[in-house]
Amino acid sequence: MWEAPPSPGKGGKGGKGDQVGNGLAGDQIGNGLARYVVAAALARTADGGAVVAVVLLVTSSGGSGTLAGVLGACITAPHLLGPFVARPLDVARDGRKVIAAACLLYATALTAGVLTYGHAPVVLTGLLLAAAGTCGPLLTGGISSRLPAIVGPRPRLRTQRRAQGWDVATYGIGGTAGPSLVAALSGWVSPSAATLALAMGAAAAAGGVLLLPFAAPSHGGDRSAILRPGATLALIARTGPLRRTVYLTMIVALSVAALPITAVHMTRILGVEPATAAVLTAAYGLGNLTGSIAVMVFPLTGDPDRLMRRLALGVVAGLLTVTASPAFTVTVSAYALTGIVNSFFFASTLAARTEYAPSGARGQVFIWVAALKITSASAGTALAGSLTGVTVELPLVVGLLVISAAVVAATVETRYGRAEEKHP
């Protein structure tokens, strides 16, 4: 299943062609990736289910919806601090220890937040949940930055892209299994038990991360060479492929965030029961998982910069189909299609971050893009909520228009950049 990198006699360096940092042998890649999938899925399941768990914990105990929203935000909002907690990942001698420590702190803070709720001032609970949320970026983008250590710095393209497909799958698993686990355990036992189960998963992820292959730090001992968050953002802004990765990622995230919101209102237009909105959101989630599996079986090929533009247009086609859908069954299919294409698009952005980010700032680039994506998705949810008051389809129309505009801008920018290279 996994392709070995070149042997020492075919591009390798001396006798180190099978070592981490110079390229792992096929069986080593398979073992390393299996550990990665387990660790990443556990961490992302905890991160994906925590908000639902906190909201259920508050509402089931008689707390107000406002309090539930505020405490839920304490988990999600600190993800925006990701770029400022990411530098230790690039500075550390062993980045695995940084991520493992973040997993343990996440588990500890989440457990303490649950145990203090209702028994201590709510401010303390909020601070503990915020501490857990601050670790969140290292459980998502931070773990993704470890993939190059598994496949090697110069892996075969098919091997690298398949590994990124597995990474996309762990996000899909986390986003689906996390809330589902919380819902099940909350019904069978209690929301507190569900939250503690998530914390245990994050703690187990710490052990899994430590079992991943070691990669020597890129700074070579000179930690001052590692860029600070502001300098990393400036690097992204002036590097064409990374810049396009950021704004395409943000705009697609903003646009697809409208789908769960519009699902509720679409049922009225389609003449079905409001409860069937869950079918639409489930179709989108299953589409994401299906797309993840497809990327693993059929890894993406080609330039990530071009792939992102083409797949973004695929998301446009999905949104257009949802908007123009005449029947509920067609709408379900359109939601699933959009989820599939969005998984492919996400995989292309992971490829772009891996291939275009300098090794000395790769961890920070991964987390910068993840943080900006989360910010944009949150803005998209708020925007969709306000626009549906005008007309149900408006958020979808706005989404497909802004994605189209971004693709045009990225295409023009790419061609202009190539023209400058030919005629400096």
Side-chain angles (χ1 to χ4, degrees):
M1 180 177 180
W2 297 101
E3 301 178 42
S7 64
K10 297 181 180 181
K13 293 185 179 181
K16 299 180 181 180
D18 62 343
Q19 292 181 352
V20 174
N22 294 292
L24 289 171
D27 57 341
Q28 292 174 303
I29 292 175
N31 292 335
L33 191 59
R35 297 171 188 171
Y36 178 90
V37 169
V38 172
L42 285 171
R44 289 161 183 168
T45 295
D47 191 58
V51 177
V52 179
V54 169
V55 170
L56 287 176
L57 175 67
V58 175
T59 55
S60 66
S61 62
S64 67
T66 300
L67 178 59
V70 169
L71 291 181
C74 286
I75 288 268
T76 57
H79 279 71
L80 303 181
L81 299 175
F84 302 96
V85 300
R87 191 168 183 267
L89 194 56
D90 288 324
V91 171
R93 191 190 69 82
D94 187 349
R96 298 174 303 175
K97 294 180 180 179
V98 175
I99 298 173
C103 290
L104 290 175
L105 179 57
Y106 186 97
T108 302
L110 185 61
T111 299
V114 171
L115 296 179
T116 58
Y117 179 71
H119 303 284
V122 72
V123 173
L124 176 60
T125 300
L127 289 174
L128 290 167
L129 294 177
T134 303
C135 298
L138 291 173
L139 275 63
T140 52
I143 293 181
S144 291
S145 70
R146 306 308 301 170
L147 270 180
I150 296 173
V151 298
R154 302 184 190 281
R156 292 184 180 181
L157 181 62
R158 186 176 178 83
T159 299
Q160 178 174 282
R161 297 289 173 81
R162 183 176 280 130
Q164 290 160 353
W166 279 101
D167 198 27
V168 173
T170 64
Y171 279 99
I173 291 169
T176 305
S180 300
L181 177 65
V182 168
L185 286 179
S186 295
W188 294 338
V189 189
S190 69
S192 297
T195 312
L196 294 176
L198 296 180
M200 290 174 61
V209 168
L210 292 175
L211 293 176
L212 298 179
F214 170 76
S218 59
H219 54 68
D222 182 13
R223 299 185 179 184
S224 62
I226 300 298
L227 298 177
R228 295 190 177 277
T232 302
L233 184 59
L235 170 70
I236 294 172
R238 67 174 180 266
T239 305
L242 287 177
R243 180 173 61 248
R244 292 187 285 276
T245 299
V246 167
Y247 68 71
L248 284 171
T249 298
M250 291 180 67
I251 290 173
V252 170
L254 181 144
S255 302
V256 299
L259 288 171
I261 304 298
T262 56
V264 178
H265 301 280
M266 289 290 288
T267 57
R268 185 174 66 253
I269 293 178
L270 297 170
V272 294
E273 292 296 324
T276 55
V279 176
L280 296 177
T281 55
Y284 178 72
L286 289 173
N288 270 299
L289 284 175
T290 303
S292 303
I293 295 171
V295 173
M296 289 185 286
V297 178
F298 306 105
L300 298 175
T301 59
D303 176 35
D305 203 2
R306 185 182 299 109
L307 282 170
M308 285 189 296
R309 298 196 301 272
R310 292 178 177 177
L311 291 168
L313 289 178
V315 175
V316 168
L319 294 176
L320 181 60
T321 306
V322 173
T323 304
S325 174
F328 180 70
T329 53
V330 176
T331 306
V332 172
S333 300
Y335 265 75
L337 172 65
T338 307
I340 291 171
V341 179
N342 190 48
S343 279
F344 275 82
F345 173 78
F346 181 37
S348 72
T349 68
L350 289 175
R353 290 182 238 179
T354 299
E355 296 177 28
Y356 301 138
S359 58
R362 182 172 287 125
Q364 293 187 73
V365 168
F366 264 89
I367 293 179
W368 258 119
V369 177
L372 293 172
K373 177 182 178 180
I374 290 171
T375 303
S376 190
S378 299
T381 301
L383 180 64
S386 61
L387 292 181
T388 49
V390 180
T391 177
V392 174
E393 297 90 347
L394 186 57
L396 301 174
V397 173
V398 170
L400 64 90
L401 288 177
V402 295
I403 294 176
S404 300
V407 171
V408 170
T411 303
V412 171
E413 182 185 337
T414 302
R415 291 180 179 176
Y416 179 73
R418 288 174 181 168
E420 281 191 329
E421 290 175 4
K422 292 179 180 179
H423 305 285

Short mmCIF file of all heavy atoms in Angstrom, two decimals, residues 83-127:
data_model
loop_
_atom_site.label_atom_id
_atom_site.label_comp_id
_atom_site.label_asym_id
_atom_site.label_seq_id
_atom_site.Cartn_x
_atom_site.Cartn_y
_atom_site.Cartn_z
N PRO A 83 -1.72 30.87 16.52
CA PRO A 83 -0.42 31.30 16.00
C PRO A 83 0.56 31.75 17.07
O PRO A 83 1.77 31.67 16.87
CB PRO A 83 -0.80 32.47 15.08
CG PRO A 83 -2.21 32.18 14.67
CD PRO A 83 -2.84 31.56 15.87
N PHE A 84 0.04 32.18 18.21
CA PHE A 84 0.92 32.70 19.26
C PHE A 84 1.38 31.60 20.22
O PHE A 84 2.26 31.83 21.04
CB PHE A 84 0.20 33.82 20.02
CG PHE A 84 -0.22 34.94 19.11
CD1 PHE A 84 -1.52 34.99 18.60
CD2 PHE A 84 0.68 35.91 18.73
CE1 PHE A 84 -1.90 36.00 17.74
CE2 PHE A 84 0.31 36.93 17.87
CZ PHE A 84 -0.99 36.98 17.37
N VAL A 85 0.75 30.42 20.13
CA VAL A 85 1.23 29.29 20.93
C VAL A 85 1.93 28.26 20.05
O VAL A 85 2.37 27.22 20.53
CB VAL A 85 0.05 28.61 21.70
CG1 VAL A 85 -0.61 29.59 22.63
CG2 VAL A 85 -0.96 28.01 20.73
N ALA A 86 2.04 28.57 18.76
CA ALA A 86 2.61 27.61 17.82
C ALA A 86 4.13 27.66 17.75
O ALA A 86 4.76 26.67 17.39
CB ALA A 86 2.04 27.86 16.41
N ARG A 87 4.72 28.81 18.08
CA ARG A 87 6.17 28.94 17.90
C ARG A 87 6.96 27.89 18.68
O ARG A 87 7.97 27.38 18.16
CB ARG A 87 6.62 30.36 18.30
CG ARG A 87 8.07 30.65 17.91
CD ARG A 87 8.39 32.13 18.04
NE ARG A 87 9.75 32.40 17.59
CZ ARG A 87 10.81 32.42 18.39
NH1 ARG A 87 10.66 32.19 19.69
NH2 ARG A 87 12.01 32.67 17.91
N PRO A 88 6.56 27.53 19.92
CA PRO A 88 7.31 26.48 20.62
C PRO A 88 7.41 25.18 19.83
O PRO A 88 8.35 24.41 20.01
CB PRO A 88 6.50 26.29 21.91
CG PRO A 88 5.86 27.60 22.14
CD PRO A 88 5.52 28.12 20.77
N LEU A 89 6.45 24.94 18.94
CA LEU A 89 6.46 23.72 18.14
C LEU A 89 7.65 23.72 17.18
O LEU A 89 8.27 22.68 16.94
CB LEU A 89 5.15 23.61 17.35
CG LEU A 89 4.81 22.27 16.70
CD1 LEU A 89 4.80 21.16 17.72
CD2 LEU A 89 3.47 22.38 16.00
N ASP A 90 7.97 24.87 16.61
CA ASP A 90 9.11 24.97 15.70
C ASP A 90 10.42 25.18 16.45
O ASP A 90 11.49 24.85 15.94
CB ASP A 90 8.89 26.14 14.72
CG ASP A 90 7.82 25.84 13.69
OD1 ASP A 90 7.74 24.67 13.26
OD2 ASP A 90 7.05 26.75 13.31
N VAL A 91 10.33 25.76 17.65
CA VAL A 91 11.54 26.04 18.42
C VAL A 91 12.04 24.81 19.16
O VAL A 91 13.25 24.61 19.33
CB VAL A 91 11.28 27.20 19.42
CG1 VAL A 91 12.45 27.36 20.37
CG2 VAL A 91 11.03 28.50 18.66
N ALA A 92 11.14 23.96 19.60
CA ALA A 92 11.48 22.83 20.46
C ALA A 92 12.43 21.85 19.78
O ALA A 92 12.41 21.68 18.56
CB ALA A 92 10.22 22.09 20.88
N ARG A 93 13.25 21.20 20.59
CA ARG A 93 14.13 20.15 20.07
C ARG A 93 13.32 18.95 19.62
O ARG A 93 13.67 18.25 18.68
CB ARG A 93 15.15 19.74 21.14
CG ARG A 93 16.28 18.86 20.62
CD ARG A 93 17.11 18.28 21.74
NE ARG A 93 16.35 17.29 22.51
CZ ARG A 93 16.20 16.02 22.14
NH1 ARG A 93 16.70 15.59 21.00
NH2 ARG A 93 15.52 15.19 22.90
N ASP A 94 12.21 18.71 20.31
CA ASP A 94 11.33 17.59 19.97
C ASP A 94 9.89 18.09 20.00
O ASP A 94 9.29 18.24 21.07
CB ASP A 94 11.52 16.44 20.97
CG ASP A 94 10.76 15.18 20.57
OD1 ASP A 94 9.94 15.26 19.63
OD2 ASP A 94 11.00 14.12 21.18
N GLY A 95 9.33 18.38 18.83
CA GLY A 95 7.98 18.92 18.74
C GLY A 95 6.92 17.99 19.28
O GLY A 95 5.85 18.43 19.70
N ARG A 96 7.21 16.69 19.30
CA ARG A 96 6.23 15.73 19.82
C ARG A 96 5.90 16.02 21.28
O ARG A 96 4.75 15.88 21.71
CB ARG A 96 6.77 14.31 19.70
CG ARG A 96 7.06 13.83 18.28
CD ARG A 96 7.72 12.46 18.29
NE ARG A 96 8.96 12.48 19.08
CZ ARG A 96 9.68 11.40 19.33
NH1 ARG A 96 9.30 10.22 18.87
NH2 ARG A 96 10.79 11.48 20.06
N LYS A 97 6.92 16.42 22.04
CA LYS A 97 6.71 16.69 23.46
C LYS A 97 5.81 17.92 23.67
O LYS A 97 5.02 17.97 24.61
CB LYS A 97 8.04 16.88 24.17
CG LYS A 97 8.89 15.60 24.20
CD LYS A 97 10.21 15.84 24.92
CE LYS A 97 11.04 14.55 24.94
NZ LYS A 97 12.35 14.75 25.62
N VAL A 98 5.94 18.89 22.78
CA VAL A 98 5.09 20.09 22.88
C VAL A 98 3.63 19.70 22.66
O VAL A 98 2.73 20.12 23.41
CB VAL A 98 5.53 21.14 21.84
CG1 VAL A 98 4.58 22.34 21.86
CG2 VAL A 98 6.96 21.61 22.12
N ILE A 99 3.38 18.90 21.63
CA ILE A 99 2.00 18.50 21.33
C ILE A 99 1.46 17.59 22.42
O ILE A 99 0.29 17.71 22.84
CB ILE A 99 1.93 17.81 19.96
CG1 ILE A 99 2.38 18.77 18.86
CG2 ILE A 99 0.51 17.31 19.68
CD1 ILE A 99 2.52 18.12 17.50
N ALA A 100 2.27 16.66 22.91
CA ALA A 100 1.83 15.76 23.97
C ALA A 100 1.49 16.55 25.23
O ALA A 100 0.48 16.27 25.90
CB ALA A 100 2.92 14.73 24.27
N ALA A 101 2.32 17.55 25.56
CA ALA A 101 2.03 18.39 26.72
C ALA A 101 0.72 19.14 26.53
O ALA A 101 -0.08 19.29 27.48
CB ALA A 101 3.17 19.37 26.96
N ALA A 102 0.47 19.61 25.30
CA ALA A 102 -0.79 20.31 25.02
C ALA A 102 -1.98 19.37 25.19
O ALA A 102 -3.03 19.77 25.73
CB ALA A 102 -0.76 20.87 23.60
N CYS A 103 -1.84 18.12 24.76
CA CYS A 103 -2.93 17.14 24.93
C CYS A 103 -3.22 16.90 26.41
O CYS A 103 -4.39 16.84 26.83
CB CYS A 103 -2.56 15.82 24.26
SG CYS A 103 -2.52 15.87 22.45
N LEU A 104 -2.17 16.77 27.20
CA LEU A 104 -2.36 16.54 28.64
C LEU A 104 -2.96 17.75 29.32
O LEU A 104 -3.83 17.62 30.20
CB LEU A 104 -1.01 16.19 29.28
CG LEU A 104 -0.44 14.81 28.92
CD1 LEU A 104 0.95 14.65 29.52
CD2 LEU A 104 -1.37 13.69 29.38
N LEU A 105 -2.50 18.95 28.95
CA LEU A 105 -3.07 20.16 29.54
C LEU A 105 -4.52 20.32 29.15
O LEU A 105 -5.36 20.70 29.97
CB LEU A 105 -2.26 21.38 29.10
CG LEU A 105 -2.75 22.75 29.62
CD1 LEU A 105 -2.81 22.75 31.15
CD2 LEU A 105 -1.84 23.87 29.11
N TYR A 106 -4.83 19.99 27.89
CA TYR A 106 -6.22 20.04 27.42
C TYR A 106 -7.08 19.11 28.27
O TYR A 106 -8.15 19.50 28.75
CB TYR A 106 -6.27 19.62 25.95
CG TYR A 106 -7.63 19.78 25.30
CD1 TYR A 106 -7.92 20.91 24.55
CD2 TYR A 106 -8.61 18.79 25.41
CE1 TYR A 106 -9.16 21.06 23.94
CE2 TYR A 106 -9.85 18.93 24.82
CZ TYR A 106 -10.12 20.07 24.07
OH TYR A 106 -11.35 20.22 23.48
N ALA A 107 -6.62 17.87 28.47
CA ALA A 107 -7.37 16.89 29.25
C ALA A 107 -7.56 17.36 30.69
O ALA A 107 -8.66 17.27 31.25
CB ALA A 107 -6.67 15.54 29.22
N THR A 108 -6.49 17.90 31.27
CA THR A 108 -6.55 18.33 32.67
C THR A 108 -7.48 19.52 32.84
O THR A 108 -8.32 19.55 33.75
CB THR A 108 -5.14 18.71 33.16
OG1 THR A 108 -4.28 17.58 33.02
CG2 THR A 108 -5.17 19.13 34.63
N ALA A 109 -7.34 20.52 31.97
CA ALA A 109 -8.16 21.73 32.09
C ALA A 109 -9.63 21.43 31.81
O ALA A 109 -10.52 21.97 32.48
CB ALA A 109 -7.64 22.79 31.12
N LEU A 110 -9.90 20.56 30.81
CA LEU A 110 -11.29 20.21 30.51
C LEU A 110 -11.92 19.46 31.68
O LEU A 110 -13.07 19.74 32.08
CB LEU A 110 -11.33 19.35 29.24
CG LEU A 110 -12.72 18.99 28.72
CD1 LEU A 110 -13.51 20.24 28.36
CD2 LEU A 110 -12.60 18.08 27.49
N THR A 111 -11.18 18.53 32.27
CA THR A 111 -11.68 17.79 33.44
C THR A 111 -11.95 18.74 34.61
O THR A 111 -13.02 18.66 35.24
CB THR A 111 -10.66 16.73 33.87
OG1 THR A 111 -10.45 15.80 32.81
CG2 THR A 111 -11.13 15.98 35.11
N ALA A 112 -11.00 19.63 34.87
CA ALA A 112 -11.18 20.57 35.98
C ALA A 112 -12.36 21.51 35.73
O ALA A 112 -13.12 21.84 36.65
CB ALA A 112 -9.90 21.38 36.17
N GLY A 113 -12.53 21.92 34.47
CA GLY A 113 -13.65 22.80 34.15
C GLY A 113 -14.99 22.12 34.41
O GLY A 113 -15.92 22.74 34.96
N VAL A 114 -15.09 20.85 34.05
CA VAL A 114 -16.33 20.10 34.27
C VAL A 114 -16.59 19.91 35.77
O VAL A 114 -17.72 20.09 36.25
CB VAL A 114 -16.25 18.73 33.56
CG1 VAL A 114 -17.43 17.85 33.97
CG2 VAL A 114 -16.23 18.91 32.07
N LEU A 115 -15.55 19.55 36.49
CA LEU A 115 -15.72 19.26 37.92
C LEU A 115 -16.02 20.50 38.74
O LEU A 115 -16.66 20.42 39.79
CB LEU A 115 -14.47 18.56 38.46
CG LEU A 115 -14.18 17.17 37.86
CD1 LEU A 115 -12.91 16.59 38.45
CD2 LEU A 115 -15.37 16.22 38.08
N THR A 116 -15.55 21.67 38.27
CA THR A 116 -15.80 22.89 39.03
C THR A 116 -17.15 23.51 38.70
O THR A 116 -17.66 24.32 39.48
CB THR A 116 -14.71 23.94 38.76
OG1 THR A 116 -14.65 24.22 37.36
CG2 THR A 116 -13.36 23.46 39.25
N TYR A 117 -17.74 23.13 37.56
CA TYR A 117 -19.01 23.76 37.18
C TYR A 117 -20.10 23.45 38.22
O TYR A 117 -20.35 22.29 38.56
CB TYR A 117 -19.48 23.27 35.81
CG TYR A 117 -20.80 23.87 35.41
CD1 TYR A 117 -20.88 25.21 35.06
CD2 TYR A 117 -21.97 23.12 35.43
CE1 TYR A 117 -22.10 25.78 34.72
CE2 TYR A 117 -23.20 23.68 35.09
CZ TYR A 117 -23.25 25.02 34.75
OH TYR A 117 -24.46 25.59 34.42
N GLY A 118 -20.71 24.47 38.71
CA GLY A 118 -21.75 24.33 39.72
C GLY A 118 -21.24 24.23 41.14
O GLY A 118 -22.02 24.26 42.09
N HIS A 119 -19.91 24.12 41.29
CA HIS A 119 -19.32 24.01 42.63
C HIS A 119 -18.31 25.12 42.90
O HIS A 119 -17.74 25.17 44.00
CB HIS A 119 -18.62 22.65 42.79
CG HIS A 119 -19.52 21.48 42.55
ND1 HIS A 119 -20.46 21.05 43.45
CD2 HIS A 119 -19.64 20.67 41.46
CE1 HIS A 119 -21.11 20.01 42.96
NE2 HIS A 119 -20.63 19.75 41.75
N ALA A 120 -18.10 25.97 41.93
CA ALA A 120 -17.15 27.08 42.06
C ALA A 120 -17.67 28.22 41.19
O ALA A 120 -18.58 28.02 40.37
CB ALA A 120 -15.75 26.65 41.61
N PRO A 121 -17.14 29.43 41.39
CA PRO A 121 -17.59 30.55 40.53
C PRO A 121 -17.46 30.20 39.05
O PRO A 121 -16.48 29.57 38.63
CB PRO A 121 -16.63 31.68 40.92
CG PRO A 121 -16.21 31.36 42.31
CD PRO A 121 -16.15 29.87 42.38
N VAL A 122 -18.45 30.60 38.28
CA VAL A 122 -18.48 30.25 36.86
C VAL A 122 -17.29 30.85 36.12
O VAL A 122 -16.86 30.32 35.09
CB VAL A 122 -19.81 30.71 36.24
CG1 VAL A 122 -19.87 32.22 36.10
CG2 VAL A 122 -20.01 30.04 34.89
N VAL A 123 -16.73 31.93 36.66
CA VAL A 123 -15.55 32.54 36.03
C VAL A 123 -14.38 31.55 36.04
O VAL A 123 -13.63 31.45 35.06
CB VAL A 123 -15.16 33.84 36.76
CG1 VAL A 123 -13.84 34.38 36.22
CG2 VAL A 123 -16.25 34.89 36.61
N LEU A 124 -14.24 30.82 37.14
CA LEU A 124 -13.16 29.84 37.22
C LEU A 124 -13.36 28.75 36.17
O LEU A 124 -12.41 28.34 35.49
CB LEU A 124 -13.11 29.23 38.62
CG LEU A 124 -12.08 28.10 38.82
CD1 LEU A 124 -10.67 28.61 38.55
CD2 LEU A 124 -12.19 27.52 40.23
N THR A 125 -14.60 28.28 36.05
CA THR A 125 -14.89 27.27 35.02
C THR A 125 -14.54 27.80 33.64
O THR A 125 -13.93 27.10 32.83
CB THR A 125 -16.37 26.88 35.08
OG1 THR A 125 -16.68 26.32 36.36
CG2 THR A 125 -16.71 25.86 33.99
N GLY A 126 -14.94 29.05 33.38
CA GLY A 126 -14.64 29.65 32.09
C GLY A 126 -13.15 29.73 31.81
O GLY A 126 -12.69 29.46 30.70
N LEU A 127 -12.37 30.10 32.83
CA LEU A 127 -10.92 30.20 32.66
C LEU A 127 -10.30 28.84 32.38
O LEU A 127 -9.38 28.71 31.56
CB LEU A 127 -10.29 30.83 33.91
CG LEU A 127 -10.58 32.32 34.13
CD1 LEU A 127 -10.03 32.77 35.48
CD2 LEU A 127 -9.97 33.15 33.01
#
